[in-house]
Amino acid sequence: MSILLRLCVWRAGAGRGLLLLVLLLGVAACTSAPPRKPSPTLGERQREGLRALGFQQSEEDWHLILPKPICFEFASADIRADAARSATDTAQELLRLGIHGVRLDGHSDNVGPPAVNLDLSRRRAEAVGRLFIAAGFADAAVVRHGHGASLPVADNDSASGRARNRRVELIVPADALAP
């Protein structure tokens, strides 16, 4: 552009050259690239990643019954291999998103004494918690709770409903995300 500018000044004289310079700069400004859209923040990327994993936002936190729900057999806290892989994959994806804190809520159906169901739901949350810790989460960053049969997601009057209630839910607290 400097050669073109010199040529314009040389050919048109100083007054006209200045006018041409202003016109050329105006045209150059019009043809410049549009301003770039700002890159998403870490918090925005984390929230989008949670949505992609199937999390749903509640009032503040993000909830997931894992993509392949971690459901348990009657009176058992043993995790099936496919459910263990799903939980481990989810834990690794959360770490990749920069999310380092989770809450695991264990649940049971309503068959049996409430104290037994509460203990069983705690052991289920602990079992999933061990998978998250093995995947790279700090022990203190994996909060585990048992709720017994107090928060069913299905009717306990049918075998299929009771099976759905024997589960662990994964919650990402809002304060575990970047602003």
Side-chain angles (χ1 to χ4, degrees):
M1 184 160 141
S2 66
I3 294 174
L4 180 62
L5 182 60
R6 286 182 196 152
L7 181 60
C8 289
V9 170
W10 178 75
R11 298 234 12 214
R16 284 187 180 155
L18 186 56
L19 179 61
L20 282 172
L21 172 63
V22 169
L23 288 173
L24 285 173
L25 289 175
V27 169
C30 291
T31 60
S32 64
R36 278 206 243 181
K37 185 177 167 184
S39 297
T41 67
L42 174 59
E44 290 168 338
R45 289 192 311 271
Q46 289 172 331
R47 287 167 185 76
E48 186 56 38
L50 289 174
R51 282 184 201 93
L53 287 171
F55 279 79
Q56 303 256 332
Q57 187 173 17
S58 66
E59 291 176 18
E60 289 185 17
D61 301 329
W62 292 80
H63 295 256
L64 175 73
I65 297 175
L66 293 169
K68 255 193 166 170
I70 297 184
C71 293
F72 295 83
E73 297 300 322
F74 179 74
S76 173
D78 295 332
I79 302 173
R80 292 185 308 267
D82 62 329
R85 273 191 306 279
S86 177
T88 299
D89 290 347
T90 300
Q92 291 170 341
E93 185 63 21
L94 291 175
L95 289 170
R96 189 188 68 73
L97 289 169
I99 298 169
H100 298 279
V102 296
R103 188 177 85 222
L104 300 168
D105 286 355
H107 301 273
S108 70
D109 60 28
N110 68 349
V111 177
V116 171
N117 285 334
L118 182 60
D119 178 64
L120 183 58
S121 66
R122 286 180 183 142
R123 289 189 294 127
R124 289 172 175 163
E126 287 293 331
V128 177
R130 286 190 295 275
L131 295 172
F132 272 71
I133 293 163
F137 276 81
D139 183 40
V142 181
V143 177
R144 292 148 278 201
H145 291 287
H147 296 280
S150 65
L151 299 168
V153 292
D155 188 351
N156 273 307
D157 292 335
S158 69
S160 64
R162 287 188 299 275
R164 288 185 53 214
N165 288 329
R166 297 186 298 261
R167 70 198 188 280
V168 170
E169 292 183 8
L170 171 60
I171 294 94
V172 174
D175 62 4
L177 302 177

